[in-house]
Each structure stands twice: as C-alpha cells, then as structure tokens.
Amino acid sequence: MADSSKILLSGVENGEQIKIDPSVLEVILGIAAEKVDGIVNMRGNLTSGIKHVFGREDRGKGVNVSVDQAGKLSADVYVYVEAGTNVPSVAMKLQKNLKQQLKQMTDLELKEINIHVVGLVFPEDEEKNEEEQTTELFPEDSQE
C-alpha cells in the first residue's frame, strides 16, 4: 500500500501548494499499466478482491508507490503477462508509458519503476475453460 506521507507540489508563481497522496499515483499508474499491450491483468490483494465482489473496481491494484528519505518516488508494478509475448519488451514499454503518464498528469518523476511479472496467461487455456463452463440450455436435437 501507499505510504501515509503526502507528496508536495508547490506553485512557483503564487506560492500555493498541492498535496498528493501516493494512492492517487497508484491509481494513475494502474490505469496506465492496464492499457499496455501484453499486460493481461494486475495482481490484486484481499482488499481488491473484496471490492471486486461488491462491484467496485480497484484501479490501483498491483501498484505500490513509495517515497524514500530524499523524497524520490519509486513504483513496484505487479503484472500478469500474456504468454508468447516478449517479456523484456513489454516491461520496457510499460516503464516508458508509466513514466510518461505520471509526468503528464502530475509533473512528477519516478526514480525507478520495478516490474514484477507475477505470472503468464495462456489464451488457449482461457478459451478452453470458457467452452467447458458453457453448455447449451436447449440443444438442437431433431426429434422425429
């Protein structure tokens, strides 16, 4: 989960300050990560599982943002990758997209983005499971 400390953005022109909770950054990064080709899903935890049961989506699941002593941001991203994709290529693209998205939305820089591949998802296994689980309610039998 996110640290309880807030990230401070200060305006140079008028001296105003904006405080951002790291959980907001987790949501931004989580949404951006799900849009990368080759990423199938994000790792959830018990809390995100409970939220899913109640119909709520945990957009920040699979992302942990932390702030070190020097105030530098780092992110740990836990993903499931589609089998057959080039994992290093997907991880590099993911890092690039996350840095761009965070910079564009908050003007913050990430010191490091650690990608953790939790597992592989095989598309043919998903199709087989769907076929096994679905049966026809009214099979077309020609009864004469």
Short mmCIF file of all heavy atoms in Angstrom, two decimals, residues 78-105:
data_model
loop_
_atom_site.label_atom_id
_atom_site.label_comp_id
_atom_site.label_asym_id
_atom_site.label_seq_id
_atom_site.Cartn_x
_atom_site.Cartn_y
_atom_site.Cartn_z
N TYR A 78 3.09 -5.02 -10.30
CA TYR A 78 2.94 -6.47 -10.35
C TYR A 78 1.92 -6.82 -11.42
O TYR A 78 0.75 -6.45 -11.32
CB TYR A 78 2.47 -6.99 -8.99
CG TYR A 78 3.44 -6.68 -7.88
CD1 TYR A 78 3.37 -5.47 -7.19
CD2 TYR A 78 4.44 -7.57 -7.54
CE1 TYR A 78 4.26 -5.17 -6.17
CE2 TYR A 78 5.35 -7.28 -6.53
CZ TYR A 78 5.24 -6.08 -5.86
OH TYR A 78 6.15 -5.78 -4.85
N VAL A 79 2.38 -7.51 -12.49
CA VAL A 79 1.53 -7.76 -13.65
C VAL A 79 1.52 -9.22 -14.06
O VAL A 79 2.44 -9.98 -13.76
CB VAL A 79 1.99 -6.92 -14.86
CG1 VAL A 79 1.86 -5.44 -14.61
CG2 VAL A 79 3.42 -7.26 -15.27
N TYR A 80 0.43 -9.59 -14.75
CA TYR A 80 0.33 -10.86 -15.46
C TYR A 80 0.51 -10.55 -16.93
O TYR A 80 -0.14 -9.65 -17.46
CB TYR A 80 -1.03 -11.52 -15.23
CG TYR A 80 -1.22 -12.06 -13.84
CD1 TYR A 80 -1.79 -11.28 -12.84
CD2 TYR A 80 -0.81 -13.34 -13.53
CE1 TYR A 80 -1.97 -11.76 -11.57
CE2 TYR A 80 -0.97 -13.84 -12.24
CZ TYR A 80 -1.56 -13.05 -11.27
OH TYR A 80 -1.72 -13.54 -10.00
N VAL A 81 1.40 -11.30 -17.59
CA VAL A 81 1.74 -11.03 -18.98
C VAL A 81 1.17 -12.14 -19.85
O VAL A 81 1.13 -13.30 -19.45
CB VAL A 81 3.29 -10.96 -19.15
CG1 VAL A 81 3.68 -10.76 -20.59
CG2 VAL A 81 3.86 -9.86 -18.28
N GLU A 82 0.72 -11.76 -21.04
CA GLU A 82 0.19 -12.73 -22.00
C GLU A 82 1.33 -13.63 -22.47
O GLU A 82 2.41 -13.16 -22.85
CB GLU A 82 -0.42 -12.00 -23.18
CG GLU A 82 -1.09 -12.91 -24.17
CD GLU A 82 -1.75 -12.14 -25.30
OE1 GLU A 82 -1.82 -10.92 -25.25
OE2 GLU A 82 -2.19 -12.81 -26.24
N ALA A 83 1.08 -14.94 -22.44
CA ALA A 83 2.10 -15.90 -22.87
C ALA A 83 2.41 -15.69 -24.34
O ALA A 83 1.53 -15.37 -25.14
CB ALA A 83 1.61 -17.32 -22.64
N GLY A 84 3.68 -15.84 -24.70
CA GLY A 84 4.09 -15.67 -26.08
C GLY A 84 4.60 -14.28 -26.41
O GLY A 84 5.10 -14.06 -27.50
N THR A 85 4.44 -13.35 -25.48
CA THR A 85 4.95 -12.00 -25.73
C THR A 85 6.38 -11.91 -25.23
O THR A 85 6.82 -12.68 -24.38
CB THR A 85 4.10 -10.93 -25.02
OG1 THR A 85 4.11 -11.19 -23.62
CG2 THR A 85 2.68 -10.92 -25.52
N ASN A 86 7.10 -10.97 -25.75
CA ASN A 86 8.47 -10.73 -25.33
C ASN A 86 8.43 -9.94 -24.01
O ASN A 86 8.14 -8.75 -24.00
CB ASN A 86 9.20 -9.94 -26.41
CG ASN A 86 10.66 -9.75 -26.11
OD1 ASN A 86 11.10 -9.82 -24.97
ND2 ASN A 86 11.43 -9.48 -27.15
N VAL A 87 8.70 -10.63 -22.91
CA VAL A 87 8.55 -10.03 -21.58
C VAL A 87 9.45 -8.80 -21.39
O VAL A 87 8.98 -7.77 -20.92
CB VAL A 87 8.78 -11.09 -20.47
CG1 VAL A 87 8.74 -10.45 -19.10
CG2 VAL A 87 7.71 -12.18 -20.57
N PRO A 88 10.74 -8.85 -21.75
CA PRO A 88 11.56 -7.64 -21.59
C PRO A 88 11.03 -6.45 -22.39
O PRO A 88 11.04 -5.32 -21.92
CB PRO A 88 12.95 -8.06 -22.07
CG PRO A 88 12.98 -9.54 -21.90
CD PRO A 88 11.58 -10.00 -22.17
N SER A 89 10.53 -6.72 -23.60
CA SER A 89 9.99 -5.66 -24.43
C SER A 89 8.74 -5.05 -23.79
O SER A 89 8.58 -3.83 -23.77
CB SER A 89 9.66 -6.22 -25.82
OG SER A 89 8.93 -5.30 -26.56
N VAL A 90 7.84 -5.91 -23.29
CA VAL A 90 6.62 -5.43 -22.63
C VAL A 90 6.98 -4.63 -21.38
O VAL A 90 6.41 -3.58 -21.11
CB VAL A 90 5.68 -6.60 -22.29
CG1 VAL A 90 4.55 -6.16 -21.40
CG2 VAL A 90 5.13 -7.23 -23.56
N ALA A 91 7.96 -5.11 -20.62
CA ALA A 91 8.38 -4.42 -19.39
C ALA A 91 8.97 -3.04 -19.70
O ALA A 91 8.67 -2.06 -19.01
CB ALA A 91 9.38 -5.26 -18.61
N MET A 92 9.77 -2.95 -20.74
CA MET A 92 10.35 -1.66 -21.13
C MET A 92 9.26 -0.69 -21.58
O MET A 92 9.28 0.48 -21.22
CB MET A 92 11.37 -1.85 -22.25
CG MET A 92 12.60 -2.63 -21.84
SD MET A 92 13.67 -1.70 -20.77
CE MET A 92 14.39 -0.59 -21.93
N LYS A 93 8.32 -1.20 -22.37
CA LYS A 93 7.21 -0.36 -22.84
C LYS A 93 6.37 0.10 -21.65
O LYS A 93 5.94 1.25 -21.59
CB LYS A 93 6.36 -1.14 -23.83
CG LYS A 93 5.28 -0.33 -24.48
CD LYS A 93 4.56 -1.15 -25.54
CE LYS A 93 3.48 -0.33 -26.19
NZ LYS A 93 2.72 -1.11 -27.18
N LEU A 94 6.16 -0.79 -20.70
CA LEU A 94 5.39 -0.46 -19.51
C LEU A 94 6.07 0.64 -18.70
O LEU A 94 5.44 1.61 -18.29
CB LEU A 94 5.19 -1.72 -18.65
CG LEU A 94 4.37 -1.58 -17.38
CD1 LEU A 94 2.97 -1.08 -17.69
CD2 LEU A 94 4.30 -2.91 -16.66
N GLN A 95 7.38 0.51 -18.50
CA GLN A 95 8.13 1.54 -17.77
C GLN A 95 8.04 2.89 -18.47
O GLN A 95 7.80 3.92 -17.84
CB GLN A 95 9.59 1.13 -17.62
CG GLN A 95 9.80 0.02 -16.62
CD GLN A 95 11.24 -0.43 -16.56
OE1 GLN A 95 11.95 -0.42 -17.56
NE2 GLN A 95 11.68 -0.83 -15.38
N LYS A 96 8.20 2.87 -19.79
CA LYS A 96 8.15 4.12 -20.55
C LYS A 96 6.77 4.77 -20.44
O LYS A 96 6.67 5.98 -20.19
CB LYS A 96 8.47 3.83 -22.02
CG LYS A 96 8.43 5.04 -22.91
CD LYS A 96 8.73 4.66 -24.35
CE LYS A 96 8.55 5.86 -25.25
NZ LYS A 96 8.66 5.50 -26.65
N ASN A 97 5.71 3.98 -20.61
CA ASN A 97 4.35 4.53 -20.55
C ASN A 97 4.02 5.07 -19.16
O ASN A 97 3.37 6.10 -19.04
CB ASN A 97 3.33 3.48 -20.96
CG ASN A 97 3.32 3.23 -22.45
OD1 ASN A 97 4.07 3.85 -23.20
ND2 ASN A 97 2.50 2.31 -22.88
N LEU A 98 4.45 4.37 -18.12
CA LEU A 98 4.16 4.82 -16.76
C LEU A 98 4.87 6.14 -16.46
O LEU A 98 4.28 7.04 -15.85
CB LEU A 98 4.53 3.76 -15.74
CG LEU A 98 3.72 2.46 -15.81
CD1 LEU A 98 4.19 1.48 -14.73
CD2 LEU A 98 2.24 2.72 -15.70
N LYS A 99 6.13 6.25 -16.87
CA LYS A 99 6.87 7.50 -16.66
C LYS A 99 6.19 8.66 -17.39
O LYS A 99 6.02 9.74 -16.83
CB LYS A 99 8.31 7.36 -17.14
CG LYS A 99 9.19 6.61 -16.19
CD LYS A 99 10.62 6.57 -16.70
CE LYS A 99 11.48 5.77 -15.75
NZ LYS A 99 12.88 5.74 -16.19
N GLN A 100 5.80 8.42 -18.65
CA GLN A 100 5.15 9.47 -19.43
C GLN A 100 3.83 9.90 -18.81
O GLN A 100 3.54 11.09 -18.71
CB GLN A 100 4.90 9.00 -20.86
CG GLN A 100 6.12 8.97 -21.73
CD GLN A 100 5.80 8.44 -23.13
OE1 GLN A 100 4.78 7.80 -23.35
NE2 GLN A 100 6.69 8.70 -24.07
N GLN A 101 3.03 8.93 -18.40
CA GLN A 101 1.71 9.23 -17.86
C GLN A 101 1.81 10.03 -16.57
O GLN A 101 1.10 11.00 -16.37
CB GLN A 101 0.93 7.93 -17.63
CG GLN A 101 -0.51 8.15 -17.28
CD GLN A 101 -1.31 8.72 -18.44
OE1 GLN A 101 -1.03 8.47 -19.60
NE2 GLN A 101 -2.32 9.50 -18.13
N LEU A 102 2.71 9.62 -15.69
CA LEU A 102 2.87 10.33 -14.41
C LEU A 102 3.42 11.74 -14.64
O LEU A 102 2.97 12.69 -14.01
CB LEU A 102 3.77 9.55 -13.46
CG LEU A 102 3.71 10.01 -12.02
CD1 LEU A 102 2.33 9.74 -11.44
CD2 LEU A 102 4.76 9.33 -11.19
N LYS A 103 4.36 11.87 -15.54
CA LYS A 103 4.92 13.19 -15.85
C LYS A 103 3.85 14.10 -16.44
O LYS A 103 3.74 15.28 -16.06
CB LYS A 103 6.09 13.03 -16.84
CG LYS A 103 6.76 14.32 -17.23
CD LYS A 103 7.54 14.89 -16.10
CE LYS A 103 8.33 16.09 -16.57
NZ LYS A 103 8.90 16.83 -15.47
N GLN A 104 3.02 13.56 -17.33
CA GLN A 104 1.98 14.36 -17.98
C GLN A 104 0.91 14.80 -16.98
O GLN A 104 0.47 15.94 -17.02
CB GLN A 104 1.33 13.53 -19.09
CG GLN A 104 0.19 14.24 -19.78
CD GLN A 104 -0.48 13.33 -20.80
OE1 GLN A 104 -0.01 12.24 -21.08
NE2 GLN A 104 -1.58 13.79 -21.34
N MET A 105 0.52 13.92 -16.07
CA MET A 105 -0.59 14.24 -15.17
C MET A 105 -0.19 15.00 -13.92
O MET A 105 -0.97 15.78 -13.38
CB MET A 105 -1.33 12.96 -14.79
CG MET A 105 -2.05 12.34 -15.96
SD MET A 105 -3.13 11.02 -15.49
CE MET A 105 -4.46 11.93 -14.74
#
